[in-house]
Amino acid sequence: MTENAPAIGIIGGSGLYQMEGVENPTEQRVQTPFGDPSDAIIGGRMHERQVYFLPRHGRGHRLLPHELNHRANIYALRSLNVRWIISVTAVGSLQEKYAPRDVLLPAQFFDRTSQRADHTFFGDGIAAHVGFAEPISAGLRNILAESARGLGVHVHNGGTYVNMDGPAFSTRAESEFNRRQGFDVIGMTNVPEAKLAREAEIALATMAMITDYDCWKVEEEPVSAQTVFEHLVANAETAKKILAEAISRIPTEPNWPEHRALDTALVTDRKLWPATTRQKLGAILGRFT
């Protein structure tokens, strides 16, 4: 495999701030037209594949969900030729059948965030509307499911992740509402990553690591940062094992539908694209110029 071969990106969530088993790791500070990513990106080799790891909240967990520069994070990974992203994230369970330390691989999202202007690369003279009916790469999700099952992990393949703003956890009324809507897990970070990855023609799947029952389950202690810590540590170890197993199963050629998402998304005639915007989005629009 060459250094410029299509790469695999891993975004680590709460509790997962580094990856073991990466050969010859190098730290890269990537500058983007959208600002700085959450932290330096660690590149290296795993199972003969080029892998890049980015801690979503920064090492030491310094960034709150609303402070995350999702555009910089995804753009930086795409500029390194990342074509698959495994997004690891801590979530609360909204259903009895999903217990703390289980893994859920959502197939759908419901967006309750309020910062949508920051969740697209487009604008400034180039309009695009990506298809998002199926927001998760089914191919990558199934690879994660197979890898988890092979390790004996209690994994649920499918379900809906509802994305709230945070940083406070839900009220009990909000938690009950989300639960009655049929949503399965709740988190604060993943929808923006999925939308931007689709625009960047990256196949993304989410590995939702359950830490708690949110606060709907009255017989349980309401969720707090302290109560989830032990689950975070255990979940991080599980995530590392699944990732190590899954990486070797990911194809080497980016030829899934997600890798050509812009074929039917770009609305503005190319002759009208402003030069500055075209240049700013070079890592994404390179094949169209």
Side-chain angles (χ1 to χ4, degrees):
M1 302 291 292
T2 66
E3 191 169 323
N4 293 323
I8 298 164
I10 298 166
I11 299 178
S14 301
L16 183 61
Y17 307 113
Q18 60 185 9
M19 278 291 295
E20 287 88 17
V22 177
E23 300 172 8
N24 302 315
T26 59
E27 183 175 298
Q28 303 192 43
R29 295 277 176 182
V30 182
Q31 295 182 324
T32 84
F34 300 95
D36 294 329
S38 295
D39 208 325
I41 297 173
I42 307 300
R45 310 287 291 180
M46 289 186 74
H47 299 293
E48 303 301 319
R49 300 297 299 276
Q50 183 65 36
V51 175
Y52 292 100
F53 177 80
L54 174 65
R56 178 185 293 112
H57 298 279
R59 285 170 287 190
H61 204 119
R62 297 171 286 104
L63 300 170
L64 285 168
H66 68 277
E67 296 178 306
L68 297 176
N69 189 338
H70 293 289
R71 288 190 293 186
N73 287 345
I74 301 299
Y75 195 94
L77 291 170
R78 184 64 180 88
S79 70
L80 294 168
N81 203 22
V82 165
R83 305 309 306 275
W84 299 267
I85 288 177
I86 300 170
S87 179
V88 184
T89 185
V91 297
S93 168
L94 296 170
Q95 305 296 334
E96 184 86 40
K97 60 186 174 181
Y98 307 128
R101 305 197 186 190
D102 283 3
V103 178
L104 186 136
L105 307 172
Q108 283 293 327
F109 289 115
F110 195 92
D111 190 359
R112 292 195 183 282
T113 62
S114 59
Q115 301 180 64
R116 297 188 185 189
D118 295 329
H119 301 165
T120 179
F121 292 115
F122 291 97
D124 294 328
I126 302 180
H129 301 277
V130 291
F132 209 55
E134 302 295 336
I136 290 288
S137 167
L140 190 52
R141 175 168 56 87
N142 289 329
I143 286 172
L144 291 172
E146 293 164 7
S147 300
R149 289 189 188 118
L151 293 166
V153 174
H154 198 197
V155 62
H156 309 273
N157 189 7
T160 299
Y161 172 125
V162 57
N163 200 140
M164 63 182 286
D165 274 331
F169 293 120
S170 302
T171 66
R172 213 179 288 280
E174 291 168 337
S175 190
E176 275 294 346
F177 176 83
N178 286 324
R179 171 172 149 77
R180 289 173 182 173
Q181 294 302 305
F183 303 142
D184 295 296
V185 294
I186 185 165
M188 302 179 187
T189 59
N190 237 214
V191 167
E193 292 174 352
K195 288 184 175 180
L196 291 160
R198 184 60 53 87
E199 289 188 349
E201 299 190 314
I202 298 171
L204 177 142
T206 291
M207 191 154 63
M209 316 298 290
I210 297 172
T211 61
D212 56 83
Y213 281 109
D214 205 34
C215 62
W216 62 268
K217 200 172 183 196
V218 294
E219 64 269 28
E220 296 273 337
E221 182 181 354
V223 58
S224 70
Q226 184 176 357
T227 60
V228 304
F229 179 74
E230 288 185 5
H231 294 315
L232 280 175
V233 173
N235 285 347
E237 293 307 309
T238 299
K240 290 174 186 177
K241 293 175 184 176
I242 297 172
L243 290 167
E245 180 69 21
I247 284 169
S248 63
R249 300 173 183 240
I250 296 173
T252 57
E253 292 299 322
N255 54 14
W256 289 350
E258 298 85 8
H259 297 127
R260 300 194 68 85
L262 294 182
D263 281 355
T264 57
L266 294 164
V267 177
T268 309
D269 189 296
R270 293 183 210 178
K271 294 190 290 289
L272 300 177
W273 288 2
T276 53
T277 306
R278 183 196 300 258
Q279 182 178 10
K280 181 175 76 171
L281 299 181
I284 295 170
L285 296 177
R287 71 183 183 89
F288 295 96
T289 58

